[in-house]
């Protein structure tokens, strides 16, 4: 059964209404990265939201023997559910308690709950099912930092190089004076929404590219000259937590 259905049903039964009000949620960086990968796998049409059509296509894909029924064995074997309390999830998904899950369950969940979810909503609901852990960041910070990572990763290879890091600086430096000041700081993607005094040596004089490269080099824990998503989030996602 489509992984997203799991969290949609949790939302649905969590308050009995299909609407939610929730406090800021958090998760470990590793957990949120894993959930992010799940989201993009389930977002079949790559439009940034998970909706009924995505669920239908996933139902077809995971139904290995094409009999229209998702059994406990198939559910337990689903690699996307690794690390979850699968028995609990199964009970929640088997709406009529008949020991199987069919596409009718999926339709019911989308009919009664919200029709679609973006990455932030997806992460918030799944994070809410996780036990608190040390070293967590808020989902909001994760989503903002993840977006900045993707925009800074100009060649879309999953790594941010020092060259890309400085190229985005030059784009943000609207007047081309070699420093970022005032509104220009808000245009520098890797550190949007981060307190300026966290990285700028003299805010009144403006922030130079060297101020940012110090943070880049400190974040590059394996010293390969690039930042992977986890390295990026450890520094920049954590900094955003103080402002969101």
């Amino acid at each position: 059964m489509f992984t997203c259905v799991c969290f949609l049903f949790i939302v649905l039964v969590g308050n009995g209404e299909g609407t939610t009000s929730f406090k800021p949620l958090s998760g470990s960086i590793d957990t949120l990265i894993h959930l992010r990968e799940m989201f993009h796998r389930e977002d079949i049409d790559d439009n940034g939201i998970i909706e009924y059509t995505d669920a239908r296509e996933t139902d077809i894909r995971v139904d290995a023997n094409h009999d229209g029924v998702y059994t406990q064995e198939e559910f337990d074997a689903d690699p996307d559910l690794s690390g979850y309390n699968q028995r609990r999830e199964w009970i929640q998904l088997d709406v009529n308690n008949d020991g199987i899950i069919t596409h009718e369950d999926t339709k019911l969940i989308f009919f009664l709950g919200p029709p679609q979810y973006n990455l932030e909503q997806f992460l918030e609901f799944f994070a809410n099912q996780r036990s608190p852990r040390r070293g967590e960041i808020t989902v909001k910070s994760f989503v903002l930092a993840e977006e900045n990572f993707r925009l800074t990763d100009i060649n879309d290879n999953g790594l941010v190089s020092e060259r890309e890091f400085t190229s985005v600086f030059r784009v943000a430096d609207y007047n081309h004076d070699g420093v970022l000041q005032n509104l220009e700081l808000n245009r520098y993607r890797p550190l949007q929404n981060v307190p300026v005094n966290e990285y700028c040596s003299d805010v009144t004089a403006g922030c130079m590219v060297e101020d940012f490269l110090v943070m880049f080099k400190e974040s590059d824990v394996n010293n390969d000259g690039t930042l992977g998503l986890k390295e990026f989030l450890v520094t920049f996602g954590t900094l955003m937590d103080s402002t969101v």
Side-chain angles (χ1 to χ4, degrees), residues 26 31 34-35 38 82-84 126-133:
S26 63
T31 294
H34 174 69
L35 293 174
M38 285 173 51
S82 176
Y84 286 81
F126 267 119
N128 198 30
Q129 303 303 309
R130 298 282 182 159
S131 300
R133 302 175 182 177

Side-chain angles (χ1 to χ4, degrees), residues 55-124:
R56 180 56 179 154
E57 289 192 40
T58 306
D59 280 344
I60 295 171
R61 174 176 58 83
V62 300
D63 182 14
N65 60 2
H66 309 295
D67 64 352
V69 174
Y70 197 55
T71 65
Q72 177 82 63
E73 290 74 21
E74 289 173 311
F75 186 84
D76 290 340
D78 190 337
D80 289 347
L81 291 173
S82 176
Y84 286 81
N85 184 332
Q86 292 173 305
R87 180 58 184 165
R88 183 190 63 193
E89 309 297 357
W90 174 266
I91 292 172
Q92 291 172 317
L93 286 168
D94 184 10
V95 180
N96 60 3
N97 196 33
D98 63 355
I100 59 173
I101 297 172
T102 69
H103 187 59
E104 294 304 314
D105 297 292
T106 305
K107 289 197 294 186
L108 180 62
I109 292 168
F110 276 89
F111 176 75
L112 295 176
Q116 59 188 35
Y117 289 84
N118 60 27
L119 175 62
E120 184 173 347
Q121 292 167 319
F122 183 89
L123 294 178
E124 282 181 332

Side-chain angles (χ1 to χ4, degrees), residues 186-222:
N186 294 326
R187 301 175 69 240
Y188 187 57
R189 273 294 181 174
L191 287 162
Q192 277 190 328
N193 306 305
V194 173
V196 178
N197 60 4
E198 294 282 355
Y199 54 84
C200 191
S201 56
D202 186 354
V203 178
T204 59
C207 301
M208 298 184 294
V209 69
E210 286 78 11
D211 293 313
F212 302 106
L213 285 178
V214 169
M215 297 185 70
F216 178 93
K217 295 180 185 301
E218 289 178 349
S219 303
D220 181 18
V221 294
N222 62 0

